[in-house]
Amino acid sequence: MSTNTGTGASTDAGTGADAADFVEAGAASLLRFATAGSVDDGKSTLVGRLLHDSKSVLADQLEAVERASLGRGQETPDLALLTDGLRAEREQGITIDVAYRYFATPRRRFILADTPGHVQYTRNMVTGASTAELAVVLVDARNGVVEQTRRHAAVAALLRVPHVVLAVNKMDLVDYAEPVFAAIAEEFTTYAASLGVPEITAIPISALAGDNVVSPSATMDWYGGPTVLEHLETVPVVADPSDDPARFPVQYVIRPQTAEHPDYRGYAGQIASGVLRVGDAVTALPSGNTSTIEAIDALGQAVDAAWAPQSVTVRLTDDIDISRGDLIAPTATAPDLSQDIEATVCHVADRPLTIGQRVLLKHTTRTVKALVKDIPSRLTLDDLSQHPAPGELAANDIGRVTLRTAEPLALDAYADSRRTGSFLLIDPADGTTLTAGMAGNAFAEAAAEAAVADGADDDEGWDF
Amino acid sequence: MTTVTAVTENAEDADNPYALSHLDALESEAVHIFREVAGEFERPVILFSGGKDSIVMLHLALKAFAPAAVPFSLLHVDTGHNFPEVLDYRDRTVERHGLRLHVASVQDFIDRGELRERPDGTRNPLQTVPLLDAIDKGRFDAVFGGGRRDEEKARAKERVFSLRDEFGGWDPRRQRPELWQLYNGKHSPGEHVRVFPLSNWTELDVWQYIAREKIELPAIYYAHEREVFARSGMWLSPGEWGGPKDGESLERRQVRYRTVGDMSCTGAVDSDADTIEAVIAEIAASRLTERGATRADDKMSEAAMEDRKREGYF
């Protein structure tokens, strides 16, 4: 019955993460990040090492992997079996879909969107990057920056992932040579910066040998920066929300109509950006009605102010007509309404998106009918070249579209708000998610300026 | 093994007055999911077993709609092999919050000859048929489950909004990509959506949240002395469900449960953690996952959970 005692007080003295740290660690922060790498870059090894060394792979999971590996005639445990959860994935030895994995250190909790590097890369990476605050792009030190690397950098830039880590892997296979790393880091940083990626950190690693993943490398003393885990633990995850205009999409109207709360009328939602304060003059869109915030209830506690991404309930001084799908914003910084949308989209469905197609558009809590008016161009991520008038977008294509909606939307540019600048296109016939949309220009301002500085002609610049 | 230092907070996060703790971020996200379902579906229902995950789900739902009532009813799939403490907890909870409870009974299906008892006596896999029947009869279009992606590798592939076909089946290769916080709940008549608001929570998060919110749990989650017997590497509780058999002997041990399910396949673990702080310390130090330690049904095959989910299990 030895397996029965597993839960007991078998504190592993070798584990740096002391159990006591977790008892009071409810205040640790949360980082969502995504990994991107092609099949042989060693992504599984890196993910495996992060999970393993942060004690997130437990004994029974390792035993299951060892058992399954032996059953297949493999001598050493295949750590990919830890992450390939589906029967078809194990049978074919491929990763089919984005998986979300969790690990923690006493300093921070991590949600990792583990995106497969195979042929369906674009929609998978877009899915993973959509919620990520940081992306780890893996490069094989022997190959340097390749097409796939540029593709990953471009997706991270398009999705406006705030932090990008370039992990130059397999340094053990290039004799841990600094010039190899420096050249790759220089090339990648120049390219990613030209796309407007705001922050790039390059780290030389060997996922297999463990150099600079969790522990500093003993062989690369020329590198003075953080390990991958150290960087993940310390990268700032909270920008200052008071810099952003407040956006509050109404999800649900709470009206108890009970003896205790006969007149209570609260607007429930998650603050999409900025800060809301009691006393703020606000406008409800699309109606344009105005009122003042009377009270904010942050899940059971009355507060004077609340900010993104808190879920709250807001009450106003006036009984104006507001329902699900409306947006409450400070009157001074309310967004414009529009029925004509220009956006960059990534097509995620197997059936194509075509000009003239009638779709549903889901933006924040509002779903409206929309028409695909035009698809002016398609982008090749490898070299960022544009193909005019492709006629349609197939699975994994990224392109520009113009849409006309049946009702006005309070849409921000994706560059200003990932939450109120993003939308989905949905097939009204069966509900299939067709397309991920980002309103406004594709790449960040820095990119457009760089293109101008290079003397590039307007049509060929980054301002795609 | 690791070089993490014993720093409990990130200095840059701590200095930022707008930083949310990881529990606040997870709570906010779960509440958002509950409200999306309330806004978009006609007849949602919460699967409620009296286990810690469903208890946390209900707590979040209560917070999401306060001061109004939770706009969903509860559904318990009763295997007939429940821990009495858990049934008692279930009924007190329903009473206290004025909720409506639907019970789908595995025993009724066995009595009517529509399900057959398995040779090993385990009823957990038998839950799928009564669950799908209850979803069909109740015309539920959204079904909240407390499943977490950290529980099992097939669950790691599960969406927050998971479309099920008219047979309740899950096809992992045909899942909708889930982008940003834009959950797509569109479905055709006959289909329904399983919704997992705790997708991004881990076992430790659940316990830290229970501690922070001071949520009452059935007493069997805390160390207590009880009669148990050994079977297949687990301590099981005796009962009419079929144990102990010849050759299995009862003994009194200090144990607690990490999961609560069907008595025939939910094992207890040796423990002296009789307070929530002790439980959290114990989980943080454990070298076994919660399911690996205490659930026989997941050990049946490498793809046991995936296979059950394909059939409609939650």
Side-chain angles (χ1 to χ4, degrees), chain A residues 22 41-42 70 88 99 109 118 125 131 137 139 146 174 190 193 201 204 212 230 256 292 303 360 362 387 450:
Chain A
F22 286 97
D41 288 344
L70 276 177
R109 259 273 274 121
H118 69 121
M125 196 187 157
T131 51
V137 175
V139 166
V146 294
V174 294
T190 306
T201 304
N212 289 337
E230 208 177 314
T292 304
V303 293
L360 294 173
K362 180 163 187 175
H387 300 261

Side-chain angles (χ1 to χ4, degrees), chain B residues 37-110:
Chain B
V37 170
E40 297 228 318
F41 291 82
E42 296 291 323
R43 291 177 63 83
V45 70
I46 298 178
L47 287 176
F48 188 80
S49 64
K52 67 181 188 310
D53 300 307
S54 58
I55 289 169
V56 166
M57 260 207 307
L58 179 60
H59 183 86
L60 288 161
L62 287 160
K63 288 185 92 165
F65 301 101
V70 174
F72 317 123
S73 53
L74 302 185
L75 171 62
H76 182 215
V77 182
D78 182 347
T79 63
H81 292 162
N82 296 293
F83 293 93
E85 297 93 330
V86 176
L87 280 189
D88 172 64
Y89 180 96
R90 178 196 78 181
D91 294 339
R92 279 190 291 118
T93 303
V94 167
E95 177 79 28
R96 188 195 323 158
H97 300 296
L99 297 159
R100 182 161 171 228
L101 174 74
H102 311 266
V103 177
S105 159
V106 171
Q107 188 64 52
D108 287 353
F109 277 74
I110 292 172

